[in-house]
Amino acid sequence: MANTAEYSSKTTRDGFLSYSDGSIENGLTTLTAVEIQKLDNTKEYDVIIIGAGFAGLIAARELGLRGRKVLLIEAKDRIGGRTFTAQTNDHNFEIGGTWIHWSQPHVWSEITRYGLSLKESKGVAADRMSILLENGTKLKEISMLDSLVALANAMEKYSDVDDVQGRTVIPFPHTPFVANELVQKYDQLSMQDRFDQIIDSLNITDEIKDMLLALLSMNMQGDIAEGGFIDHLRWWALGDYNMIRMFDKLSRYKIKEGTSTLAQAILNDCKNVTLLLSTSVLSVDHTNTNSSIIRIQTGDLLLARSVLVTVPLNALQNLKFFPPLGIKKQESIANGQCPGGRKFWVKLEKPIGPWFGMAPYPNPITMAYTDDEEGYIIVGFGPDELLDIQNINIVEKELNKFLPNVKVTYVLGHDWRNDPFILSTWSWYKPGQMCSSLKALQIAEPPIFFASGDIADGWRGFIDGAIESGLTNARYIQQYLNKRFPSH
Ligand SMILES: Cc1cc2nc3c(=O)[nH]c(=O)nc-3n(C[C@H](O)[C@H](O)[C@H](O)COP(=O)(O)OP(=O)(O)OC[C@H]3O[C@@H](n4cnc5c(N)ncnc54)[C@H](O)[C@@H]3O)c2cc1C
């Protein structure tokens, strides 16, 4: 690739590390933070790609390999977007997107291509489980094995809208609108609406009810009254209509070498691509369809025959388009998606072995589990903004509700919800949003194209979806350029 520095571990401005003595370090060490790049003297690019997350990286590689001149512009001081592996105290911590699975076709193909491998997060299969009942006031220790069947039954009833586990609604999980009428029907429901429909017929203990509510709230990272039920059915279908298989796909296996290693491998594979980091794009002017004008934060103007926008859905409102985008797209951008919640990692003073904890909304931690063999490291999730993850005392206090007396040595994470270039975690749509917005957000307005994990067809909200969307749009752009500028 052109104009890139040597890659080695550097510090990104993203993320924090809080220690038990009260000190906080801002910024984390990661493989994918690189030097600020300088532009080469290219007058006009075939494609300018805005955003160097997985959607942008994949599209850059594909188009560059087809001989297109590509400029990849990223606001952050690193590639990888909503994913990065922090290398801290001899441990790899995945601060954003983490778990992948061999049934996620696009990411798995990249794992094969670059020869990467998997590592298991141990606590996911732990038998020792703590649940917080009665609004977080009562701690109960249970055996996961003893509760699993009842919980899986409850989840099946929650998902079973048609006596065949939702198969008639989402028969092909990578083609979302096959059963259009049914999708429209269930898209109107919130996750809470569906819960209210079936709770009386569930016949479950309060304990299983709280576990079910914790799982649902965990998935959308907030109040289930605000999350669309169709996204639950989508995850259910992608999870083979089975709770344990779904859970394995969502939270069990991560890239052993680190997610940043995959991002970097894709970058290293790029040809004809110039990378410009720490540069935010302010506007895209496509009044002249033969040449779009991109204004960057320095005030400089850059020219391109086509533009691929991979900015996260909730941050798209900060990018200006001239002339304005189609009205449905504008409305969909203004509506945004659920903003998600918190993810944090802690290192404990003493190991606790494999362990898993859960509590329903609005507990500040809905799910947490050990990651490593010994149980020194815990990954945790909180809904909305209910947990101040930078405050180690608060994090320890909340963890002590599940694990009395454990002491936290340090906590680390990143505030994705308030990161101005992201403004969300993983994609979860609001009720009605899938039918009102997904197609509008996906549709190209040539010479402007849109790709993101937030608007994928299949694993929307996942690394796999970002890759799918990047690949699809690289194909569209290649077709567009071939047709529009045949002499290339
Ligand atoms: C806490 C968390 C946990 C997650 N867990 C998982 C998981 O376990 N498994 C999984 O598969 N997925 C997970 N995800 C989701 C996954 O990380 C994302 O779906 C995926 O990485 C999105 O990739 P993307 O390329 O579409 O967008 P992004 O990675 O968000 O990339 C978009 C890029 O655009 C840049 N940008 C924005 N505005 C501008 C601008 N104006 N100018 C220039 N650049 C701009 C941003 O800085 C960003 O780098 C998680 C996400 C989070 C936050």
Side-chain angles (χ1 to χ4, degrees), residues 14 49-57 73-76 78-83 94-100 104 107 221 249-251 279-282 310-312 315-316 318-319 341-343 381 414 416 419-422 424-427 451-455 459-467 469:
D14 285 346
I49 299 178
I50 308 173
F54 276 101
L57 285 167
I73 307 182
E74 169 55 54
K76 294 183 174 295
R78 58 174 182 81
I79 59 163
R82 265 171 282 180
T83 67
E94 297 291 353
I95 303 300
T98 306
W99 294 281
I100 60 156
Q104 296 173 337
V107 73
Q221 282 215 291
K249 293 178 192 213
L250 302 176
S251 42
T279 306
S280 65
V281 173
L282 302 181
T310 75
V311 171
L316 257 178
N318 299 328
L319 194 59
R342 305 290 194 206
K343 175 183 180 185
F381 298 88
H414 178 61
W416 297 103
D419 179 326
F421 300 110
I422 307 287
S424 59
T425 53
W426 56 85
S427 176
S452 168
D454 297 344
I455 60 171
W459 285 95
R460 169 161 54 78
F462 294 82
I463 297 165
D464 190 84
I467 297 173
S469 187

Side-chain angles (χ1 to χ4, degrees), residues 148 151-152 155 215 236 239 241-248:
L148 209 57
L151 181 60
M155 187 61 105
L215 271 185
W236 188 244
Y241 315 93
N242 175 291
M243 189 187 78
I244 295 170
R245 285 218 285 281
M246 179 173 87
F247 209 65
D248 273 3

